[in-house]
């Protein structure tokens, strides 16, 4: 449907997603592969505004409202950033995409997965990732890493939800990967940064070369 390549990064809190994305985009630059990096929720101005509501609202937002906000941000992001870049044949690297909604609002927030699928299909308009990297980590390991990197007082609304919620997020992600093993590749996020980065590059190149040739 498009000429570009859509790769998304997913995982629980403290899985090392940001540093792996940095290493991956550096690799794209070194190989002169044209790319666009964006994140969800966010990306365009409208999405960034929704991001602030979602992450820093003082009020309790229920899972349904939360999901609809993520979805409207996603629809805007797809139309204005992701699709135009794919049409130009670029690699689009996303820090989170709809699998986050299935894991957080679905498996952990108890929304019906069928509802999530219906609205997600509407929001993404056919934009399914060519590859999704899932960095798998336990709640304990993830938060231990987070507390090394930043002040835990600054945790956002979703990060504060506690172990039970985040355990469900992890299980949900693994279930998604089981259902779509061709698209979602699970990587053990407790391995070394270099090991993980090499694994990601290899998986990417295999798929990318297949699509490009
Ligand atoms: P962010 O600051 O990007 O966190 P991280 O570095 O962990 O990616 O915040 C995104 C938060 O939003 C994160 O806790 C996951 C959550 N989220 C959802 O709950 N549903 C979604 O659909 C998306 C895209 C994110």
């Amino acid at each position: 449907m498009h000429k570009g390549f859509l790769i998304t990064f997913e995982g629980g809190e403290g899985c090392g997603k940001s540093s792996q994305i940095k290493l991956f985009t550096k690799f794209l630059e070194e190989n002169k592969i044209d790319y666009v990096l964006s994140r969800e929720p966010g990306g365009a101005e409208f999405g960034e505004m929704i991001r602030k509501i979602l992450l820093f609202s003082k009020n309790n937002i229920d899972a349904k409202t939360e999901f609809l906000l993520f979805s409207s941000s996603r629809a805007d992001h797809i139309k204005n950033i992701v699709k135009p870049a794919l049409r130009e044949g670029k690699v689009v690297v996303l820090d989170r995409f709809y699998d986050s909604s299935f894991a957080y609002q679905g498996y952990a927030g108890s929304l019906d997965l069928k509802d999530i699928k219906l609205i997600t299909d509407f929001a993404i308009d056919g934009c399914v990732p060519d590859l999704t990297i899932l960095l798998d980590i336990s709640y304990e390991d993830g938060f231990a890493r987070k507390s090394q990197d930043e002040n835990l007082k600054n945790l956002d609304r979703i990060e504060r939800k506690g172990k039970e919620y985040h355990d469900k997020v992890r299980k949900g992600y693994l279930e998604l990967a089981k259902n779509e093993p061709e698209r979602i590749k699970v990587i053990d996020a407790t391995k070394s940064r270099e090991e993980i980065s090499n694994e990601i590059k290899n998986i990417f190149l295999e798929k990318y070369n297949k699509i490009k040739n």
Side-chain angles (χ1 to χ4, degrees):
M1 176 219 121
H2 52 69
K3 290 184 294 175
F5 189 95
L6 178 57
I7 174 169
T8 64
F9 285 76
E10 297 281 356
E13 313 301 323
C15 66
K17 202 159 41 70
S18 312
S19 60
Q20 286 304 328
I21 289 175
K22 261 192 210 132
L23 292 171
F24 181 68
T25 52
K26 191 165 158 241
F27 157 81
L28 293 178
E29 272 159 35
E30 285 164 0
N31 286 277
K32 304 207 167 17
I33 298 176
D34 219 0
Y35 73 92
V36 167
L37 168 64
S38 192
R39 66 172 177 177
E40 288 219 345
E45 190 201 357
F46 171 71
E48 288 297 338
M49 274 155 50
I50 293 188
R51 177 187 185 85
K52 288 202 181 101
I53 302 176
L54 277 164
L55 298 183
F56 302 108
S57 167
K58 300 265 186 307
N59 297 324
N60 208 4
I61 306 177
D62 70 16
K64 191 190 266 188
T65 311
E66 196 169 78
F67 169 62
L68 289 170
L69 282 172
F70 277 119
S71 297
S72 69
S73 148
R74 182 161 298 140
D76 174 71
H77 188 223
I78 288 284
K79 179 164 184 270
N80 293 312
I81 295 183
V82 178
K83 281 210 167 165
L86 290 174
R87 248 182 260 124
E88 288 171 14
K90 292 183 180 158
V91 171
V92 176
V93 184
L94 292 188
D95 186 344
R96 298 196 181 280
F97 194 32
Y98 61 76
D99 294 303
S100 286
S101 287
F102 281 89
Y104 284 79
Q105 283 71 51
Y107 286 97
S110 304
L111 285 193
D112 190 328
L113 299 179
K114 282 205 270 339
D115 292 338
I116 297 198
K117 172 128 183 39
L118 191 77
I119 292 179
T120 295
D121 284 347
F122 182 55
I124 65 172
D125 198 17
C127 241
V128 174
D130 297 292
L131 172 63
T132 295
I133 299 293
L134 170 55
L135 295 166
D136 177 52
I137 198 155
S138 70
Y139 173 81
E140 288 77 10
D141 287 342
F143 275 86
R145 178 179 292 159
K146 241 189 156 62
S147 60
Q148 276 172 7
D149 293 352
E150 53 195 273
N151 186 344
L152 289 184
K153 275 202 211 116
N154 296 334
L155 290 185
D156 66 42
R157 208 176 44 79
I158 292 174
E159 287 164 342
R160 287 172 196 278
K161 285 184 191 262
K163 175 172 162 57
E164 202 186 327
Y165 183 88
H166 290 285
D167 280 349
K168 287 187 194 156
V169 169
R170 182 187 193 193
K171 268 193 155 164
Y173 268 135
L174 292 173
E175 188 73 26
L176 291 169
K178 214 169 77 192
N179 295 338
E180 282 185 80
E182 256 317 297
R183 173 174 72 87
I184 306 179
K185 302 295 178 194
V186 185
I187 296 183
D188 173 358
T190 60
K191 289 185 184 169
S192 77
R193 253 165 67 108
E194 290 64 34
E195 235 178 314
I196 294 174
S197 173
N198 285 333
E199 249 182 80
I200 294 175
K201 286 176 208 165
N202 290 336
I203 298 170
F204 166 76
L205 281 176
E206 203 189 309
K207 286 228 168 196
Y208 183 72
N209 289 333
K210 240 188 235 158
I211 284 184
K212 287 283 154 182
N213 297 322

